[in-house]
Amino acid sequence: MSNIPETGRTPRVQIRLVIIQILVFSLLLTLGGRLWYLQIRNGQEYTDEAKNNGVQRVVQPAVRGSILDARGVALADNETRLVVSASRTELMKMPDDGKAVLTRLAEVLGMQPKEVMDKVRLCDAKTPKPCWNGSPYQPIPVTDEATTQQALQIRERAEDFVGITAEPTAVRRYTAPGKANTAQVLGYLSPVTDGEIEKAKDSESPYLRSDQVGRSGLERTYDKALRGKAGVTRYEVDNLGRVIGESDRDEAQAGSNLVTSIDARVQAVAEYELNWAMKEARKTFDRNTQRTYKADAGAVVVMENKTGRVVAMASQPTYDPNAWVGGISAKDYAALTSTESNFPLLNRVIQGQAAPGSIFKVVSSTAAVRAGYEFDGNYPCPSSLSFGGREFKNFESKGYGSISLGRALEVSCDTVYYGLAYNEWQKDGGIKPKKDSKDWFYRTAHDFGLGKETGIDLPNEVKGRVPDREWKQKFWEANKESWCKTGKKGGDYAEQVAYENCLEGNQMRAGDSVNYSIGQGDILVTPIQMATIYSAIANGGTLYDPTIGKAVISPDGKSVQEIKPKSHGKLPMDRKTRDKIDKALAGVVTNGSAAWRFQGWPHDKIPMHAKTGTAEVFGKQTTSWFTTYTDDFTIVMTISQGGTGSGASGPAVRNIYEAMYGLNEKGEQDLKRALLPKPQTSLPKVEPDGTIEAPEVKPYEPPKPEEEAGEPLGDQQNQNQQNQNQQDQDQNQNQNQNQQDQQQDRDTDQLAGPPARRD
């Protein structure tokens, strides 16, 4: 065995260790150099590339909840349509801003290129409709009526239609069951704007760019409940757009259903009868203007007395709300906003303002009682009264002797109210008011709720106007400069009025108070205000906030949030006065100004109350008003430039009642044909799968001509119609005389305001 010295192996081991150390150190240097190269040398480049990796959101729109009538019939729901949309983001990347693509798209869709381009341009202060008022980053619908063939052409030729999509999409549908349009009540939708998205981003219900929001009507008031919550799936993608994986998912939540108090059957009747009444008015000759009545607008509302819930609400002219679905065309938008069409977007039940005429006398009667006059006292009802040297005539210049306030309501005696208002005007100091003036006639109107909103659950309700001393002063301050520029002493009628208003337009003159007492002059009311007042008289004195929404029900039917009736006050009268006014209004339809319209009515079974009104509007024909109520319902109808209250609106209102109560031409009730003899109290049931069992709504079949007045149109009824027409003409002649007298005496007698109009 040989002996090998250890010193012989040591150098070789050391060499190996050195080599290993060199290799390790070289690897560390290489790794460090690579890290320096990636993070320092090219760090910004790779950072910029990494920014292109991110999360892509895919939005699944929520199904908007349905709007239902009181029995579960859909007034607004959703349907699937082929929607063609354009992406402005993609179009703006093209050299021609996508004009070539849109031109090809127009050819496929059978549209004009300009029409397509107008739809995708953005709205601003200078851009007329149609234009896109939603987010510029959201696909813009071009049409929701694409055919399958058109959609296939677009998808098969994707290279020719960059930025264009064609796919099935759920869109809003307004169903018009039984031809119940309900347009102004339902409202319409339009895309959310960037401003709205920004404003709501920190709220409980933020918007997504794909959202549609309510712009008017119930769609706007209950938008949050109806809209639901869109679903969002987030995908991780690389800089080339390739999906790396799913990040997270928020499931879409369908919107809740809104149950309303609208009855689609009664709504259809109300719409038909309002339209019919206006057509009939246009056939009636107005001797005052020597032409037929224009009857250019109208409104009717049916309300439950004990809850304030609205059963039907119609406004004319009207429109098809489906015109807004998928983006409104230039032609449709022009028709909806033009003077020629008389602005059909307006809901004239809550936005139409006019002088009320004699239906205001329930307010004046209450004011007189509050001022200390006995309701059953005797008040002179002469054929005319003179104030300041000017004569104010009664209807047909007919006097009734000394009568009570109740009888004055029945026969609509103007001179009774003229005298009471003039006395109170004098007590308050006349044109130089006392510091402690009571102003009972004006204060009472405010206490009835006039001059402010009723609180109905619809947007953009107007207040009307009570022309008290405060209003007179503010109105004079706002218009004095204009009046002084255009006024001329001894000029024509308008110049003379402007001249006088310049000098003393802030004074409460005798003529203002006298005309105001019979619902004339500067006072303005809306149909919903008068319906609220008359339903309060019917229910004993409670002023309810009118409501259309009745309940919000979740998509699965498990959650039901009822919208309870709310009151905003009481009528400013005691029970005794209320009962006497109620009795007088019953007398209007038995032996008063509306009796000829309710011949054969079963008063013993269905007590009817009413008040007629014919209001003068300067430069126009008279406004027809007809207010009525039974134990359960109030109906108010008005027709602009339609003639007298009972003459123009009376038959249509009676027809609505007959359909609701199931009355035939003999006044006999058949509950099988009655649409709504009692208010609907139960709610429709929503099944767990979202289905709703709803009854069919058949189109309204109007009564035959010989049945329209409640009985065959015989000689007596023909004579009644002729008498009423003659009364209207006599009334107009009296009105002309009042206008002439006013123009002659205006600068000396301190009387003012439009001339009085009587029933």
Side-chain angles (χ1 to χ4, degrees):
M1 181 177 182
S2 61
N3 249 338
I4 302 175
E6 290 185 23
T7 55
R9 287 186 295 193
T10 300
R12 281 182 288 190
V13 172
Q14 288 178 343
I15 291 171
R16 290 173 184 169
L17 290 174
V18 170
I19 292 172
I20 291 172
Q21 289 174 351
I22 291 172
L23 289 173
V24 170
F25 185 71
S26 298
L27 290 173
L28 289 174
L29 283 176
T30 301
L31 180 61
R34 183 62 177 168
L35 289 174
W36 176 87
Y37 178 82
L38 293 174
Q39 296 183 6
I40 306 300
R41 175 67 177 79
N42 285 359
Q44 186 60 46
E45 178 183 348
Y46 288 111
T47 298
D48 292 340
E49 289 185 10
K51 288 180 179 178
N52 292 325
N53 298 340
V55 176
Q56 180 69 43
R57 300 196 315 169
V58 177
V59 177
Q60 178 188 356
V63 177
R64 193 172 180 87
S66 297
I67 301 177
L68 311 173
D69 88 337
R71 302 188 306 154
V73 177
L75 301 173
D77 59 11
N78 308 286
E79 66 177 350
T80 301
R81 297 184 188 176
L82 277 174
V83 177
V84 176
S85 302
S87 170
R88 278 188 58 87
T89 304
E90 294 296 324
L91 294 175
M92 292 300 104
K93 293 178 181 178
M94 303 175 189
D96 63 349
D97 294 336
K99 290 182 180 179
V101 172
L102 295 177
T103 300
R104 288 193 292 271
L105 179 62
E107 182 179 353
V108 171
L109 297 177
M111 301 170 67
Q112 294 296 320
K114 183 179 185 304
E115 184 180 358
V116 175
M117 293 176 190
D118 284 351
K119 285 200 170 188
V120 300
R121 64 184 178 180
L122 300 181
C123 291
D124 57 31
K126 298 180 180 179
T127 303
K129 295 282 187 176
C131 56
W132 178 251
N133 67 343
S135 169
Y137 304 105
Q138 176 187 343
I140 302 172
V142 175
T143 181
D144 62 355
E145 298 179 345
T147 65
T148 303
Q149 184 62 34
Q150 290 169 339
L152 287 174
Q153 287 187 59
I154 293 169
R155 303 191 72 165
E156 289 174 353
R157 297 163 51 195
E159 68 280 3
D160 292 333
F161 297 102
V162 178
I164 306 299
T165 58
E167 54 190 18
T169 306
V171 298
R172 203 59 163 167
R173 177 180 67 164
Y174 299 98
T175 60
K179 298 184 178 180
N181 194 30
T182 330
Q184 294 89 351
V185 176
L186 296 173
Y188 59 90
L189 306 175
S190 72
V192 66
T193 65
D194 280 349
E196 290 169 329
I197 293 173
E198 181 66 24
K199 186 177 181 180
K201 67 179 182 180
D202 296 326
S203 67
E204 296 180 0
S205 183
Y207 291 118
L208 296 176
R209 295 193 186 279
S210 60
D211 282 338
Q212 295 268 319
V213 296
R215 294 300 178 195
S216 70
L218 297 174
E219 294 277 28
R220 176 174 170 181
T221 301
Y222 295 96
D223 179 72
K224 183 178 178 181
L226 291 167
R227 181 164 29 100
K229 185 177 181 181
V232 180
T233 302
R234 298 170 182 84
Y235 295 98
E236 294 181 3
V237 296
D238 62 16
N239 63 318
L240 298 178
R242 295 173 297 196
V243 176
I244 300 173
E246 183 177 317
S247 174
D248 57 37
R249 180 194 299 264
D250 296 331
E251 295 294 337
Q253 299 176 12
S256 297
N257 299 299
L258 174 67
V259 178
T260 71
S261 53
I262 297 291
D263 187 299
R265 302 167 301 173
V266 180
Q267 178 71 25
V269 176
E271 290 181 9
Y272 179 92
E273 291 297 339
L274 174 61
N275 188 47
W276 174 84
M278 292 171 63
K279 288 181 178 179
E280 290 298 303
R282 295 183 194 122
K283 300 176 185 177
T284 305
F285 188 72
D286 178 11
R287 294 184 183 177
N288 188 49
T289 59
Q290 293 299 304
R291 56 181 173 83
T292 56
Y293 287 103
K294 290 184 64 175
D296 56 346
V300 62
V301 57
V302 182
M303 182 185 292
E304 294 178 7
N305 294 333
K306 298 173 185 177
T307 62
R309 289 182 172 134
V310 175
V311 176
M313 178 182 288
S315 178
Q316 283 285 348
T318 189
Y319 69 99
D320 181 2
N322 288 296
W324 293 94
V325 178
I328 191 167
S329 68
K331 180 180 179 182
D332 287 340
Y333 186 82
L336 294 180
T337 57
S338 69
T339 305
E340 292 75 14
S341 62
N342 203 11
F343 309 106
L345 291 177
L346 287 177
N347 183 344
R348 285 173 164 81
V349 174
I350 66 171
Q351 296 172 308
Q353 302 179 105
S358 292
I359 65 171
F360 182 72
K361 288 175 180 174
V362 294
V363 178
S364 296
S365 297
T366 305
V369 173
R370 297 178 79 189
Y373 300 92
E374 291 289 336
F375 192 90
D376 294 325
N378 290 319
Y379 305 98
C381 177
S383 61
S384 64
L385 287 174
S386 294
F387 306 109
R390 183 179 146 221
E391 185 180 37
F392 284 73
K393 296 180 180 180
N394 199 13
F395 177 58
E396 282 190 289
S397 299
K398 181 178 180 180
Y400 288 87
S402 293
I403 59 176
S404 66
L405 286 177
R407 183 58 178 161
L409 276 174
E410 289 181 8
V411 299
S412 209
C413 176
D414 290 345
T415 50
V416 166
Y417 297 96
Y418 290 155
L420 294 174
Y422 184 74
N423 290 342
E424 288 304 300
W425 176 78
Q426 287 183 314
K427 288 181 181 179
D428 289 331
I431 59 174
K432 297 180 180 180
K434 301 175 181 177
K435 291 184 179 180
D436 60 344
S437 60
K438 302 298 183 181
D439 284 334
W440 282 115
F441 279 77
Y442 298 96
R443 183 190 302 182
T444 300
H446 284 295
D447 292 343
F448 266 80
L450 297 178
K452 58 186 176 183
E453 298 95 338
T454 62
I456 190 171
D457 53 346
L458 288 176
N460 303 319
E461 179 187 7
V462 299
K463 297 180 179 180
R465 183 169 68 204
V466 176
D468 54 18
R469 297 180 191 275
E470 181 181 357
W471 176 85
K472 292 267 304 175
Q473 181 64 31
K474 291 180 178 179
F475 190 69
W476 179 71
E477 292 172 357
N479 293 278
K480 180 182 178 182
E481 184 178 352
S482 174
W483 284 332
C484 293
K485 285 183 178 180
T486 59
K488 180 181 179 182
K489 185 176 182 180
D492 60 25
Y493 183 72
E495 291 172 335
Q496 178 68 19
V497 170
Y499 171 77
E500 293 173 9
N501 284 336
C502 169
L503 298 178
E504 53 186 30
N506 60 335
Q507 295 179 351
M508 182 66 73
R509 294 166 288 192
D512 294 321
S513 293
V514 168
N515 272 334
Y516 167 83
S517 70
I518 62 165
Q520 289 289 170
D522 292 315
I523 183 173
L524 294 175
V525 301
T526 64
I528 196 65
Q529 288 175 327
M530 300 313 296
T532 302
I533 287 173
Y534 276 82
S535 66
I537 296 173
N539 69 37
T542 302
L543 290 162
Y544 282 105
D545 295 359
T547 54
I548 300 176
K550 197 173 182 181
V552 175
I553 303 180
S554 62
D556 59 6
K558 294 181 180 179
S559 173
V560 179
Q561 302 176 22
E562 282 199 60
I563 302 169
K564 300 291 186 181
K566 294 181 180 179
S567 166
H568 59 263
K570 294 280 188 179
L571 292 176
M573 62 177 72
D574 57 25
R575 184 75 189 187
K576 183 179 179 181
T577 301
R578 202 276 341 172
D579 290 345
K580 290 182 177 181
I581 289 178
D582 178 76
K583 183 179 179 181
L585 296 176
V588 171
V589 295
T590 55
N591 59 358
S593 58
W596 71 295
R597 282 303 189 194
F598 282 93
Q599 294 179 19
W601 183 266
H603 296 287
D604 56 334
K605 296 179 181 178
I606 307 172
M608 178 64 67
H609 306 72
K611 186 71 192 81
T612 59
T614 308
E616 179 73 15
V617 181
F618 179 72
K620 293 185 177 182
Q621 295 169 305
T622 54
T623 300
S624 168
W625 284 94
F626 201 50
T627 58
T628 58
Y629 64 84
T630 60
D631 290 343
D632 293 308
F633 301 104
T634 289
I635 299 180
V636 173
M637 181 178 286
T638 182
I639 300 176
S640 170
Q641 303 195 86
T644 64
S646 60
S649 301
V653 170
R654 176 165 179 160
N655 287 342
I656 297 172
Y657 276 120
E658 288 181 345
M660 292 174 65
Y661 286 110
L663 298 176
N664 61 22
E665 66 276 7
K666 297 179 181 179
E668 300 168 339
Q669 187 175 26
D670 181 1
L671 292 177
K672 291 182 179 180
R673 60 182 282 189
L675 300 182
L676 195 66
K678 292 290 182 181
Q680 176 80 24
T681 55
S682 60
L683 293 173
K685 184 178 180 181
V686 179
E687 300 294 340
D689 62 357
T691 59
I692 304 168
E693 289 191 13
E696 180 185 0
V697 179
K698 298 180 180 179
Y700 169 57
E701 295 184 5
K704 296 177 182 179
E706 63 269 17
E707 297 176 351
E708 286 171 353
E711 64 177 15
L713 190 60
D715 294 338
Q716 181 59 49
Q717 184 130 5
N718 277 325
Q719 185 61 47
N720 286 336
Q721 178 71 63
Q722 293 171 9
N723 290 342
Q724 182 65 21
N725 288 341
Q726 184 60 48
Q727 291 172 357
D728 184 32
Q729 310 317 323
D730 292 343
Q731 183 177 352
N732 285 330
Q733 292 170 5
N734 291 338
Q735 182 60 48
N736 284 337
Q737 185 61 49
N738 278 345
Q739 289 178 328
Q740 294 170 8
D741 292 344
Q742 184 180 21
Q743 186 168 355
Q744 293 171 358
D745 302 334
R746 201 174 173 87
D747 58 344
T748 57
D749 61 9
Q750 297 184 14
L751 295 173
R757 180 71 187 181
R758 293 164 290 281
D759 299 318

